[in-house]
């Protein structure tokens, strides 16, 4: 087609530009001659019917293009047309070679004449389907613009609005026609309008659609920010030429808010999960506070700090404060001292928070920076003090010119007890705190408070158990005859509960010494108490002067008794469930008795690690002492092993914490321990230090006890040993031997007392004992006198009646000696007494009243 264009010289014909109506409507023309046959066949007819001009010219159009059942009517119409009658109508047509109608054409037939005056016809054909498609497209376009619930805009190539629908006009005001010619800058802020313009230009140039472009703005006259999702796509003409960009806008404010709420909920849930995993992994108060801030910053806030009551950190017994009760005033009312234990910030170069407070010693109020570790107070009327008093969260807005936008002041409450205060702050530019944030802040503070309170309770129990455990260990450096002793005790770390390790050095009659080391299985206060009970039992049994195997047998029964049924202490609920057992106590122990006269040591072992012996010039070796079963198991007897210890040898008793840890097996630890004892000639204290520095003693997994003894023995000149026949004159002989020996030792001040007491003991041996009598004097830190015989009857001290002529000998022994007693021996018994040396703290001479009380 052509169109007329007006120029300076007049009108000229030119081809129709792209976008003409002919690009959308299929129009064709042909002519019929006087004979009813096709004379001319246009190119558009070729496109419409698919028949070339050569094939169409000279053919009867009715026979060629109409179905057989319509041909008769078709011939009549052609005849009428050739008679000069115009006709317009719908004519079904078929493609060549097809029997069924293929389409419907709207035909305009106009009579014409040839050059010779004969009748002919000109036919204009329009494809009805194309017209119906245009009608449908127009209706759909109108429906989209007029009935769509979404805002719709059509931008031209100049990016101005060509058309807007009523929905868009409802939001932005006016009628739909009022928005023609506007740009996006008339609706959006500059930054958002520039984004939208860039997107429109890109779609127009590339043809690539844009989906879900998020635009933020506000409708005219409204303050609330709206969120729109914009979809852009390029619009083409029928010939494919871009003619603009269509934009579909959907208000997604609700969806955005819901998504933000969901994201906030997910974030909060993730924070709570992280808090559960990271807070409370240690039993250290300050570490728990830092773990809280590691979770909160920057995931929840930009700045945060934690204050804990100073009394809680120093281990006061009283709880920091209970909110909601009358006694809050004072300790928990905001005037109590707090310590800043943690601070965290996600803002670069942010100083520590500045609060209204004052130092404990300054006496002046005012804003001062609170450093980590500083002890401070909050004024009574401050928001922080109010939160501590009420136990309720408070929101404090930031002041003008400050970095902080707002702060949540959250008391840390555990079991109705306020333990401290946490402050969460967000900087300006961050999203303000909402209700969800307040709830999350309370939950985070509560979780940390429970962990801190648990740590406080654990610290208190741990300190009590530690005090108990320390009180049950030997004080200072114990002394023993014929032994140089050194010991070490290392508790586990503060994160490790108190264990049941113990050692003891017990003086026995005859200058003998019992060396004990043990370990109660388990941890905590119960293990410490069980250790104390067993240690007390060991000391009691040692005073009975029993053999080591007998001592362990009695200890085994005692340990099993500790795990006996609760019985009468059961509650009714417990009785209804049947008998319950208390905790079963198991323990390992080595009990050794050393005699400095013979330098022989007798060992018995109850499931403990073997002692280590280092002889001069030899390598350290593990003594082959049968391990036996641990105490509390029962059913098996304990064996004894007697070992002669050479002068200068080193004996080491230890617990498993010294040689065993997660990092290495027991065998490696024992080998390392033996290597650390390769130089036993050094001072014993140095040997102990070398052992602790050489081995892995810093693991903190278990307590460590180490008891070391260097064998010295009593020199032969410090021992007087005689055998006396069983005859009366042996009493005088015993007095003479004792007097001579004491003078040789320069102990003349004790001669009279020793002669008297020796005479009493030898007389009793002759009167009540059996077999040969043996007298032995031992001089070390004290003087010990022993009288041996083969009788099994133990002497018993009694009060003599006024009329009795005898029975006062043992009373005299008890009155004049520091201590006395008797013990069984493999071949009888031994009766002994002990006297302090003259230069020592000797027992005072008996008074007249004490002597007369015997009569």
């Amino acid at each position: 087609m052509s169109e007329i264009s007006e120029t300076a010289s007049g009108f000229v014909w030119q081809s129709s530009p792209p976008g003409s109506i002919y690009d959308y409507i299929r129009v064709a023309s042909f002519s019929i001659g006087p004979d009813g046959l096709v004379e001319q066949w246009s190119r558009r007819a070729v496109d419409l019917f698919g028949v070339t001009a050569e094939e169409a010219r000279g053919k009867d159009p009715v026979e060629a293009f109409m179905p057989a059942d319509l041909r008769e009517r078709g011939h009549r119409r052609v005849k009428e047309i050739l008679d000069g009658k115009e006709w317009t109508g719908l004519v079904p047509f078929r493609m060549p070679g097809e029997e069924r109608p293929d389409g419907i054409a709207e035909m305009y037939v106009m009579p014409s004449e040839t050059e010779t005056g004969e009748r002919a016809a000109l036919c204009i054909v329009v494809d009805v389907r194309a017209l119906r498609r245009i009608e449908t497209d127009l209706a759909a376009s109108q429906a989209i613009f007029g009935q769509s619930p979404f805002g719709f805009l059509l931008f031209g190539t100049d990016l101005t609005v060509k058309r807007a629908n009523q929905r868009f006009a409802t939001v932005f005001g006016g009628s739909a026609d009022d928005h023609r010619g506007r740009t996006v800058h008339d609706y959006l802020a500059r930054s958002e309008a520039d984004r939208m313009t860039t997107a429109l230009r890109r779609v127009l140039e590339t043809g690539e659609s844009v989906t879900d472009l998020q635009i933020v703005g506000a409708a005219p006259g409204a303050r609330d920010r709206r969120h729109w999702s914009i979809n852009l796509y390029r619009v083409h003409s029928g010939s494919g030429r871009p003619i603009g960009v269509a934009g579909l806008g959907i208000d997604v404010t609700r969806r955005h808010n819901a998504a933000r709420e969901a994201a906030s909920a997910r974030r909060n849930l993730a924070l709570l999960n992280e808090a559960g995993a990271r807070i409370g992994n240690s039993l250290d108060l300050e570490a728990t506070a830092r773990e809280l801030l590691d979770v909160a910053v920057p995931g929840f806030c930009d700045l945060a700090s934690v204050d804990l009551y100073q009394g809680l950190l120093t281990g006061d017994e009283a709880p920091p404060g209970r909110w909601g009760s009358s006694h809050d005033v004072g300790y928990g009312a905001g005037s109590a001292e707090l310590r800043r234990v943690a601070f965290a910030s996600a803002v670069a170069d942010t100083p520590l928070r500045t609060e209204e407070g004052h130092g404990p010693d300054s006496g002046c109020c005012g804003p001062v920076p609170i450093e980590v570790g500083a002890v401070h107070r909050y004024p009574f009327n401050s928001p922080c003090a109010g939160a501590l008093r009420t136990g309720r969260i408070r929101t404090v807005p930031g002041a003008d010119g400050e970095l902080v936008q707002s702060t949540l002041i959250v008391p840390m409450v555990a079991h109705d007890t306020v333990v401290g205060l946490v402050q969460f702050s967000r900087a300006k530019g961050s999203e303000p705190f909402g209700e969800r944030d307040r709830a999350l802040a309370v939950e985070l503070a509560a979780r940390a408070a429970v962990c801190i309170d648990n740590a406080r309770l654990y610290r208190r129990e741990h300190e009590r158990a530690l005090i108990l455990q320390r009180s049950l260990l030997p004080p200072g450096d114990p002394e023993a005859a014929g032994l140089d002793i050194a010991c070490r005790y290392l508790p586990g770390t503060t994160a490790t509960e108190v264990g049941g390790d113990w050692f003891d050095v017990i003086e026995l009659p005859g200058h003998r010494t019992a060396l004990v080391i043990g370990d109660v299985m388990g941890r905590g206060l119960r293990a410490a108490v069980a250790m104390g009970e067993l240690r007390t039992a060991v000391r009691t049994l040692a005073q009975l002067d029993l053999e080591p195997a007998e001592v362990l047998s009695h200890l085994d029964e005692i340990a099993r008794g500790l795990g006996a049924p609760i019985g009468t202490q059961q509650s009714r609920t417990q009785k209804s469930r049947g008998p319950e057992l208390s905790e079963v106590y198991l323990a390992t122990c080595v009990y050794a008795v050393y005699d400095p006269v013979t330098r022989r040591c007798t060992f018995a072992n109850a499931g403990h690690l073997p002692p280590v012996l280092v002889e001069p010039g030899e390598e350290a070796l593990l003594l082959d002492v049968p391990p036996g079963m641990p105490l509390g198991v029962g059913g098996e007897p304990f064996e004894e092993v007697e070992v002669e210890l050479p002068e200068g040898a080193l004996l080491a008793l230890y617990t498993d914490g010294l040689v065993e840890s997660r990092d290495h097996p027991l065998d490696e630890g024992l080998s390392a321990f033996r290597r650390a004892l390769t130089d036993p000639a050094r001072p014993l204290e140095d040997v102990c230090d070398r052992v602790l520095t050489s081995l892995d003693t810093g693991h903190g997994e278990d307590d460590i006890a180490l008891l070391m003894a260097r064998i010295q023995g009593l020199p032969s000149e410090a021992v007087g040993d005689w055998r006396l026949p069983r005859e009366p004159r042996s009493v005088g002989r015993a007095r003479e031997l004792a007097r001579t020996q004491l003078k040789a030792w320069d102990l003349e001040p004790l001669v009279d007392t020793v002669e008297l007491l020796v005479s009493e003991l030898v007389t009793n041996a002759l009167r009540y004992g059996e077999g040969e009598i043996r007298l032995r004097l031992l001089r070390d830190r004290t003087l010990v006198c022993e009288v041996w015989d083969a009788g099994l009857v133990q002497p018993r001290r009694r009060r003599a009646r006024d009329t009795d002529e005898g029975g006062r000998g043992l009373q005299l022994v008890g009155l004049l000696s520091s201590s006395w007693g008797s013990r069984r021996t493999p071949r009888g018994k031994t009766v002994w007494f002990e006297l302090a040396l003259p230069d020592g703290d000797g027992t005072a001479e008996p008074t007249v009243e004490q002597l007369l009380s015997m009569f």
Side-chain angles (χ1 to χ4, degrees):
M1 297 291 294
S2 298
E3 66 178 3
I4 300 176
S5 175
E6 185 176 2
T7 64
S9 58
F11 294 97
V12 296
W13 295 96
Q14 66 181 21
S15 299
S16 61
S20 169
I21 187 66
Y22 295 105
D23 291 338
Y24 301 95
I25 303 176
R26 301 180 67 184
V27 180
S29 65
F30 63 91
S31 62
I32 300 176
D35 54 359
L37 302 180
V38 176
E39 286 188 343
Q40 296 179 346
W41 190 258
S42 68
R43 292 182 178 177
R44 288 188 177 266
V46 174
D47 296 336
L48 179 62
F49 295 104
V51 178
T52 64
E54 291 77 8
E55 294 174 340
R57 281 195 294 267
K59 290 187 177 180
D60 184 344
V62 175
E63 294 293 334
F65 301 108
M66 294 187 68
D69 56 341
L70 298 177
R71 290 173 184 173
E72 182 178 352
R73 295 177 58 189
H75 284 299
R76 288 200 304 268
R77 294 296 183 188
V78 172
K79 185 177 180 180
E80 292 175 355
I81 292 170
L82 293 178
D83 288 341
K85 186 177 180 179
E86 292 188 1
W87 181 80
T88 301
L90 297 176
V91 178
F93 66 91
R94 64 178 178 83
M95 301 297 292
E98 299 289 340
E99 294 297 329
R100 299 178 61 186
D102 188 66
I104 298 178
E106 187 170 358
M107 186 175 293
Y108 304 90
V109 182
M110 295 169 286
S112 63
E113 293 183 355
T114 63
E115 296 178 354
T116 59
E118 294 179 299
R119 299 281 181 91
L122 177 62
C123 301
I124 305 297
V125 182
V126 178
D127 190 346
V128 175
R129 293 174 302 176
L131 292 176
R132 298 294 179 267
R133 188 163 53 249
I134 293 174
E135 292 176 354
T136 303
D137 291 346
L138 289 175
S141 175
Q142 185 61 33
I144 292 174
F145 270 80
Q147 302 174 23
S148 173
F150 310 118
F152 208 110
L153 288 177
L154 180 61
F155 295 92
T157 55
D158 58 354
L159 303 185
T160 61
V161 177
K162 299 302 181 183
R163 188 175 180 184
N165 69 345
Q166 188 57 42
R167 175 60 181 169
F168 183 86
T170 301
V171 175
F172 287 92
S175 64
D177 294 336
D178 294 338
H179 296 276
R180 295 180 185 272
R182 295 183 180 180
T183 65
V184 293
H185 287 81
D186 296 319
Y187 307 106
L188 302 174
R190 182 180 182 83
S191 59
E192 294 293 88
D194 290 343
R195 289 180 58 228
M196 183 75 171
T197 301
T198 301
L200 286 170
R201 186 172 289 112
R202 185 170 64 251
V203 172
L204 187 62
E205 292 174 355
T206 64
E208 296 179 0
S209 301
V210 173
T211 58
D212 198 22
L213 174 65
Q214 296 294 317
I215 296 295
V216 180
R223 293 184 179 180
D224 58 324
R225 291 159 57 90
R226 311 298 296 178
H227 294 261
W228 291 289
S229 174
I230 307 297
N231 298 306
L232 303 175
Y233 56 93
R234 192 168 68 181
V235 180
H236 304 84
S237 67
S239 61
R241 178 177 61 89
I243 61 174
V245 177
L248 179 65
I250 304 173
D251 190 339
V252 294
T253 304
R254 291 185 178 179
R255 187 176 72 186
H256 178 81
N257 292 340
R260 185 177 62 182
E261 289 292 322
S264 176
R266 288 194 298 270
R267 182 200 64 188
N268 293 354
L269 182 59
L271 277 174
L272 288 177
N273 289 337
E274 185 180 5
R278 298 180 60 180
I279 297 177
N281 290 325
S282 69
L283 291 172
D284 182 80
L285 302 179
E286 292 85 350
T288 301
R290 290 192 296 268
E291 290 165 355
L292 169 62
L293 299 194
D294 290 341
V295 172
V297 180
F300 177 67
C301 62
D302 301 315
L303 302 94
S305 63
V306 176
D307 298 316
L308 297 179
Y309 277 115
Q310 177 69 358
L312 181 145
L313 294 168
T314 55
D316 289 354
E317 287 295 324
R322 292 185 180 273
W323 54 275
S325 59
S326 59
H327 70 272
D328 283 347
V329 179
Y331 200 90
S335 61
E337 291 184 344
L338 297 103
R339 186 193 302 175
R340 176 65 53 84
V341 295
F343 173 81
S345 172
V347 184
D349 301 328
T350 302
L352 293 175
R353 293 288 314 279
T354 299
E355 306 287 355
E356 289 288 337
H358 63 279
D361 302 323
S362 63
C364 59
C365 299
V368 294
I370 302 177
E371 302 286 341
V372 172
V375 178
H376 64 98
R377 302 173 187 266
Y378 289 113
F380 185 84
N381 294 325
S382 65
C384 293
L388 289 171
R389 282 194 304 272
T390 62
R392 296 179 181 177
I393 184 174
R394 294 198 176 190
T395 303
V396 178
D400 294 337
E402 287 187 358
L403 173 68
V404 174
Q405 177 195 81
S406 61
T407 299
L408 294 179
I409 302 175
V410 190
M412 305 177 72
V413 182
H415 310 113
D416 293 340
T417 299
V418 180
V419 299
L421 191 74
V422 59
Q423 300 181 60
F424 302 108
S425 301
R426 286 184 179 174
K428 292 183 178 179
S430 299
E431 186 176 353
F433 289 115
E435 281 302 316
R436 287 183 181 271
D437 296 322
R438 288 170 59 90
L440 178 61
V442 172
E443 180 66 22
L444 289 175
R447 291 196 179 196
V450 170
C451 295
I452 288 175
D453 194 50
N454 290 340
R456 176 183 69 86
L457 295 174
Y458 172 80
R459 175 182 290 183
R460 185 183 66 185
E461 295 300 321
H462 186 272
E463 290 176 352
R464 289 178 177 177
L466 205 57
I467 292 173
L468 173 63
Q469 188 179 40
R470 293 292 191 276
S471 67
L472 297 175
L473 294 175
D477 295 328
E479 296 181 355
L483 293 175
D484 181 15
I485 295 179
C487 53
R488 294 290 188 274
Y489 180 82
L490 297 181
T493 61
T494 55
T496 306
E497 292 187 88
V498 173
D501 294 13
W502 94 92
F503 63 90
D504 208 345
V505 178
I506 306 171
E507 293 187 60
L508 300 177
H511 286 316
R512 293 172 303 133
T513 302
L515 302 176
V516 189
I517 195 161
D519 184 2
V520 176
M521 299 180 186
R523 301 187 185 281
L525 189 59
R526 287 179 174 269
V529 170
M531 178 266 283
E533 293 178 328
L534 292 177
R535 179 177 180 269
T536 303
V538 169
R539 282 192 158 265
T540 302
L541 294 170
Q543 297 305 318
L544 298 178
D545 212 350
L546 301 177
E547 297 296 326
E550 292 184 73
V551 171
L552 293 186
S553 296
H554 287 293
L555 281 180
D556 180 59
E557 293 185 7
I558 293 173
R560 281 186 288 164
L562 296 178
I566 297 176
T568 58
Q569 297 180 356
Q570 287 180 290
S571 64
R572 293 183 178 179
T573 303
Q574 290 173 327
K575 289 181 180 180
S576 64
R577 298 174 183 170
E580 296 187 6
L581 293 179
S582 63
E583 183 176 349
V584 175
Y585 291 96
L586 297 177
T588 62
C589 180
V590 169
Y591 186 87
V593 175
Y594 170 69
D595 188 342
V597 178
T598 62
R599 292 198 308 274
R600 301 186 69 84
C601 188
T602 304
F603 296 91
N605 190 353
H608 201 81
L609 295 173
V612 175
L613 178 65
V614 187
E615 297 185 8
E618 301 292 338
E619 294 184 353
L621 58 89
L622 299 176
L623 291 180
D624 187 14
V625 180
M629 300 297 293
L631 303 177
V633 174
E636 292 292 333
F638 297 98
E639 300 182 42
E640 293 181 356
V641 173
E642 189 176 64
V643 179
E644 184 173 352
L645 305 178
E647 185 77 17
L650 187 65
L651 179 66
L653 305 178
Y654 53 95
T655 57
D656 57 358
L658 181 67
V659 295
E660 186 178 23
S661 72
R662 295 190 185 97
D663 299 330
H664 58 76
L666 177 61
D667 292 343
E668 292 183 7
L670 288 173
S671 298
F673 181 38
R674 293 168 58 190
R675 289 194 299 271
L677 298 174
T678 53
D679 189 11
R682 302 174 61 184
L684 200 56
E685 294 291 336
D686 294 346
V687 176
C688 285
D689 293 337
R690 174 185 173 86
V691 168
L692 296 183
T693 56
S694 300
L695 302 184
D696 179 21
T697 58
H699 51 75
E701 299 170 8
D702 196 3
D703 294 357
I704 295 174
L706 174 63
L707 178 61
M708 303 187 72
R710 176 170 285 123
I711 307 302
Q712 294 176 345
L714 287 180
S716 58
E717 58 270 17
V719 179
D721 194 351
W722 307 276
R723 297 183 182 275
L724 303 173
R726 189 171 189 81
E727 56 187 28
R729 63 179 181 175
S730 294
V731 176
R733 177 61 177 164
R735 287 197 299 265
E736 181 183 355
L737 293 172
R739 181 173 57 253
T740 303
Q741 184 65 64
L742 291 178
K743 289 181 179 181
W745 288 340
D746 295 329
L747 297 178
E748 286 86 351
L750 299 180
V751 169
D752 293 340
T753 302
V754 172
E755 281 188 333
L756 176 60
L757 300 185
V758 166
S759 177
E760 288 293 337
L761 295 186
V762 174
T763 299
N764 285 342
L766 289 173
R767 183 177 298 178
Y768 305 108
E770 297 177 7
E772 186 181 36
I773 299 173
R774 181 181 177 187
L775 172 65
R776 189 167 74 167
L777 294 179
L778 306 175
R779 182 181 185 275
D780 192 68
R781 291 178 293 111
T782 62
L783 177 68
V784 174
C785 177
E786 299 175 330
V787 175
W788 306 37
D789 70 80
L792 299 178
V793 178
Q794 296 289 325
R796 182 173 61 88
R797 183 177 177 179
R798 66 182 179 84
R799 179 173 292 276
R801 294 189 297 270
D802 294 341
T803 58
D804 290 342
E805 295 182 0
R808 296 177 179 87
L810 292 181
Q811 292 188 47
L812 189 63
V813 172
L815 191 63
L816 297 180
S817 65
S818 300
S819 60
W820 77 279
S822 66
R823 67 177 184 273
R824 295 183 184 276
T825 62
R827 298 175 182 175
K829 67 177 180 296
T830 300
V831 183
W832 59 270
F833 66 85
E834 184 175 2
L835 293 174
L837 300 182
D839 57 348
D841 297 331
T843 304
E845 292 292 329
T847 64
V848 176
E849 289 77 8
Q850 290 175 324
L851 291 174
L852 291 177
S853 67
M854 295 187 298
F855 297 93

